[in-house]
Amino acid sequence: MAKYEMLIAASGKRGSALLPCVVVDEKGIKRAAVRAKAMARACYPEYEKFNVVKMKVISDE
């Protein structure tokens, strides 16, 4: 099963950042994106907007 690497783009009044990647399997990728965005909001309150910006296949096993 393929695995994906996602980056979360965060932005706010004081700037923007690419937050650490999250690795998920193909089956749960949509739910994982929602969870990753929620976790980013909790961990980085200085940002206002969060988006999944990149999904990259890292394995086809």
Side-chain angles (χ1 to χ4, degrees), residues 6-8 18-22 44:
M6 296 187 300
L7 291 175
I8 305 294
L18 284 177
L19 304 179
C21 70
V22 178
Y44 301 93

Side-chain angles (χ1 to χ4, degrees), residues 8-58:
I8 305 294
S11 62
K13 294 177 183 176
R14 297 183 180 173
S16 61
L18 284 177
L19 304 179
C21 70
V22 178
V23 177
V24 296
D25 62 29
E26 188 174 8
K27 185 177 180 182
I29 199 162
K30 288 183 182 181
R31 288 190 315 256
V34 170
R35 284 193 312 269
K37 286 166 56 173
M39 288 173 47
R41 279 191 183 95
C43 294
Y44 301 93
E46 64 270 25
Y47 299 110
E48 299 164 353
K49 297 179 185 177
F50 297 87
N51 293 300
V52 175
V53 294
K54 185 176 184 180
M55 287 188 243
K56 176 182 172 187
V57 177
I58 59 172

